[in-house]
Amino acid sequence: MTDTLAPLQTTDPIVQERRVVTAIPGPLSQAIHARRLAVIPGGVSSALPIYIARAHGAIVVDADGNQYIDLGSGIGVMTIGHTDEAVVAAASAQLALVTHAMFTITPYESYVRVAELLAEHTPGDFAKKTVLLNSGAEAVENAVKIARKFTGRPGVAVLEHAYHGRTNLTMAMTFKAMPYKAGFGPFAASIHHAPNSYPFRDGLSGAEAAKRTIGYLEKTVGASDLACLVVEPIQGEGGFVVPAEGYLPALQEWCSANGIVFIADEIQSGMARTGAYFASEHFGVVPDMVLTAKGIAGGLPIAGVTGRAEIMDSSHPGGLGGTFAGNPVAAAAAVAVFDAIESRNLLADGKRIEGVLLPALLALQGKYDVIGDVRGIGAMLAIELVLPGTGSTTKEPNPAAVSAITAFAAQHGVLLLSAGTFGNIIRFLPSLAITDELLRDAIGVLDDAFAAL
């Protein structure tokens, strides 16, 4: 076994370059995959049967020594880069001090510090409080129950194409049936899906789209029955849909006028991903609650619900918490991530990445009519693929092209993520540690992939 896994155990520095040294998947990945099939259910699927051994910066290395440019970052988790030195040091130091202490029994300072940092950096100058949790879905669940407690209302409004998680409640809130919720019902009640703003497909202005959303909710639910409206400022799994200008402010104004808690699910779009701490800032909205997870702790599991103090205080003592919620090791890592964003000016890197990647994607759109739309902000960009000749007419989704492009890229050492309700979107979530050279190299591979269609 030691010989078989020898590449897993090397400690040589990872050079930030793409390198393909075996067939993909290589023999060691294939051997691990054979073991996996015997003990892991098929429902836990993987996009590619390669097994990652090491990672640093914007490069991941598989068991066979192949090095990939990672344009997915663990679906936005590794925002400041894989195995960031400051995060590793902070988590390692905390491991030697206190590995676990349930905060609701014996509290500790790092939980408090993360809450202070979230209060400081989320939009809004009002008093805020935070409950820390384990995952994005847990953050969504707790935000909903706090909003229901605060308002005394049952209804939860979400938008078409939204993704909020895989628990029973969050499955009900998630729009797409396959693969997230088909056959797993019945689901939680009082969840209402309203039309969203999708400029490429609906052609509506922000005001027009907001009127449609609000009109739907008022007619089918009634504002007086809604506890909250949960929105992703830029939709994630739904396809990196950027709403039309004015859409989100109009929704927030309507929520404020009707006593509805306006919740921004920033689990994928937050923590410097878009060149701002939170994507809400790009749209001029100040949510009543902001949800964080993914990129907040450099790969360690932690999540947060940060909201107006009067809303957060509506829960009775003991109503919020969890055994591992706000674990001290993960909290220490989160503090290190905030420090890194500030000390290294990583917000500027989000804008730098957009400055390199967005023009390159637009140039590809000019070459290949299969690319119907290019959109996004910062290091959160996407291309929507359509059947050739339909880009400006029917815009027929082209998921087959996405499958072909992502497979080609993987064979050449570039990891891409698909997305979208119709499976026809490629999303780009590079870490802020990625260099311009790696971005250009990846674009070259992408160009070759489109040429090979």
Side-chain angles (χ1 to χ4, degrees):
M1 182 63 72
T2 300
D3 292 340
T4 301
L5 299 181
L8 297 174
Q9 299 174 2
T10 180
T11 57
D12 295 340
I14 298 175
V15 179
Q16 296 296 291
E17 66 180 23
R18 179 170 59 96
R19 185 183 300 167
V20 178
V21 298
T22 73
I24 295 175
L28 293 179
S29 279
Q30 291 183 48
I32 299 169
H33 191 65
R35 292 164 47 203
R36 172 229 183 102
L37 294 176
V39 294
I40 296 176
V44 185
S45 60
S46 296
L48 191 66
I50 60 171
Y51 288 79
I52 301 305
R54 300 194 300 144
H56 187 69
I59 296 292
V60 296
V61 186
D62 72 15
D64 295 279
N66 297 298
Q67 297 196 176
Y68 305 82
I69 301 173
D70 184 8
L71 295 183
S73 302
I75 314 189
V77 171
M78 308 311 302
T79 302
I80 71 168
H82 291 278
T83 59
D84 179 85
E85 290 88 346
V87 171
V88 171
S92 298
Q94 183 60 52
L95 275 169
L97 298 173
V98 178
T99 305
H100 171 75
M102 187 172 174
F103 188 80
T104 55
I105 303 298
T106 50
Y108 39 91
E109 188 271 343
S110 57
Y111 188 118
V112 177
R113 183 58 186 146
V114 174
E116 290 173 337
L117 289 165
L118 284 167
E120 178 183 348
H121 292 293
T122 48
D125 295 330
F126 41 81
K128 304 169 196 165
K129 294 188 177 182
T130 293
V131 55
L132 295 181
L133 303 148
N134 298 297
S135 69
E138 256 194 83
V140 176
E141 291 252 1
N142 278 268
V144 167
K145 77 179 189 181
I146 293 167
R148 283 172 165 167
K149 183 78 169 179
F150 177 71
T151 62
R153 304 172 180 176
V156 176
V158 293
L159 300 177
E160 290 180 352
H161 307 292
Y163 176 85
H164 295 295
R166 298 173 184 256
T167 60
N168 187 265
L169 174 62
T170 58
M171 276 194 296
M173 296 170 67
T174 291
F175 183 73
K176 188 176 178 179
M178 280 295 292
Y180 303 115
K181 57 196 215 180
F184 293 141
F187 302 116
S190 300
I191 308 299
H192 308 279
H193 294 264
N196 71 329
S197 172
Y198 197 148
F200 176 64
R201 295 202 166 271
D202 62 33
L204 299 178
S205 69
E208 291 167 338
K211 182 178 180 181
R212 182 177 65 170
T213 302
I214 293 167
Y216 177 89
L217 290 172
E218 287 183 337
K219 290 175 184 176
T220 63
V221 188
S224 61
D225 281 343
L226 285 176
C228 57
L229 171 62
V230 186
V231 304
E232 300 162 277
I234 300 174
Q235 290 185 321
E237 175 61 25
F240 284 25
V241 179
V242 181
E245 183 178 358
Y247 176 72
L248 292 179
L251 293 188
Q252 182 179 27
E253 182 179 355
W254 176 73
C255 286
S256 296
N258 289 279
I260 301 165
V261 179
F262 184 80
I263 301 174
D265 179 343
E266 295 259 20
I267 289 162
Q268 189 163 156
S269 60
M271 292 305 294
R273 168 59 59 189
T274 62
Y277 264 100
F278 295 95
S280 298
E281 299 171 53
H282 295 290
F283 304 102
V285 293
V286 180
D288 297 311
M289 284 186 191
V290 173
L291 313 184
T292 50
K294 288 191 182 293
I296 190 173
L300 278 77
I302 197 169
V305 178
T306 303
R308 294 179 181 272
E310 64 272 21
I311 298 176
M312 300 300 294
D313 279 336
S314 61
S315 174
H316 51 273
L320 305 176
T323 300
F324 296 105
N327 170 269
V329 179
V335 173
V337 168
F338 275 103
D339 289 345
I341 292 171
E342 290 295 315
S343 64
R344 301 179 210 165
N345 192 24
L346 295 184
L347 296 181
D349 279 307
K351 298 172 184 175
R352 170 185 61 83
I353 290 167
E354 180 183 332
V356 174
L357 192 52
L358 183 58
L361 294 175
L362 288 169
L364 289 178
Q365 184 183 29
K367 290 178 65 175
Y368 305 106
D369 63 357
V370 70
I371 302 176
D373 193 29
V374 178
R375 56 180 179 257
I377 302 174
M380 189 175 186
L381 302 173
I383 52 178
E384 181 160 355
L385 305 191
V386 296
L387 292 179
T390 70
S392 59
T393 54
T394 64
K395 303 177 183 177
E396 187 70 24
N398 193 345
V402 169
S403 297
I405 294 294
T406 55
F408 182 102
Q411 291 297 317
H412 293 81
V414 177
L415 299 182
L416 297 171
L417 296 174
S418 62
T421 298
F422 312 109
N424 68 318
I425 290 158
I426 297 174
R427 51 181 159 173
F428 300 88
L429 283 166
S431 80
L432 302 179
I434 198 168
T435 63
D436 293 354
E437 291 74 22
L438 283 178
L439 285 171
R440 294 190 182 101
D441 186 17
I443 286 293
V445 172
L446 194 61
D447 195 348
D448 292 341
F450 277 105
L453 279 177

